[in-house]
């Protein structure tokens, strides 16, 4: 899955909250649903999108489904963000310096 697709999936606040909830460890669907003011089918749809994007894993046990974060996928996102942070760091420092020195006119 591409980084851009990952960020598209995580653009939804409910999906970000689900990932944050699962960061504490594996949880059954019922516990995930209980965290939100949404219907079980709506949360199941969010979980499906997260699963298809490779951001969560599902582990079936009898009739239950347990979800957990795919830490490798999140680590790839973090690495990309770190690279982009380095990309912007120097230009932003130069802009800050120019602003402080009054080099930029209105």
């Amino acid at each position: 899955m591409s980084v851009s697709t990952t960020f598209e999936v995580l653009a939804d606040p409910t999906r970000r909250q689900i990932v944050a909830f699962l960061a504490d460890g594996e949880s059954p669907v019922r516990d995930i649903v209980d965290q939100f003011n949404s219907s079980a089918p709506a949360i199941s749809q969010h979980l499906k999108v997260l699963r298809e994007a490779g951001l969560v894993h599902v582990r079936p046990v009898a009739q239950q489904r347990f979800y957990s974060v795919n830490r490798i996928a999140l680590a790839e996102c973090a690495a990309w963000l770190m690279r982009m942070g380095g990309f912007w760091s120097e230009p932003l420092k130069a802009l800050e310096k120019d602003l402080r020195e009054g080099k930029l006119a209105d």
Side-chain angles (χ1 to χ4, degrees), residues 1-79:
M1 187 69 45
S2 73
V3 172
S4 63
T5 302
T6 298
F7 287 120
E8 288 172 20
V9 168
L10 292 174
D12 183 278
T14 301
R15 290 194 276 262
R16 287 195 309 272
Q17 290 173 334
I18 291 171
V19 170
F21 175 74
L22 292 174
D24 290 336
E26 184 180 69
S27 291
V29 173
R30 169 173 278 147
D31 290 355
I32 299 167
V33 169
D34 288 346
Q35 297 298 310
F36 298 92
N37 192 19
S38 297
S39 67
I43 296 302
S44 290
Q45 184 62 37
H46 285 298
L47 288 168
K48 178 183 176 187
V49 171
L50 289 166
R51 187 179 66 247
E52 288 175 351
L55 293 169
V56 297
H57 297 292
V58 63
R59 184 175 62 88
V61 176
Q63 299 301 316
Q64 289 190 343
R65 300 290 177 264
F66 290 83
Y67 281 84
S68 60
V69 168
N70 179 349
R71 296 186 186 281
I72 293 171
L74 290 181
E76 290 171 0
C77 290

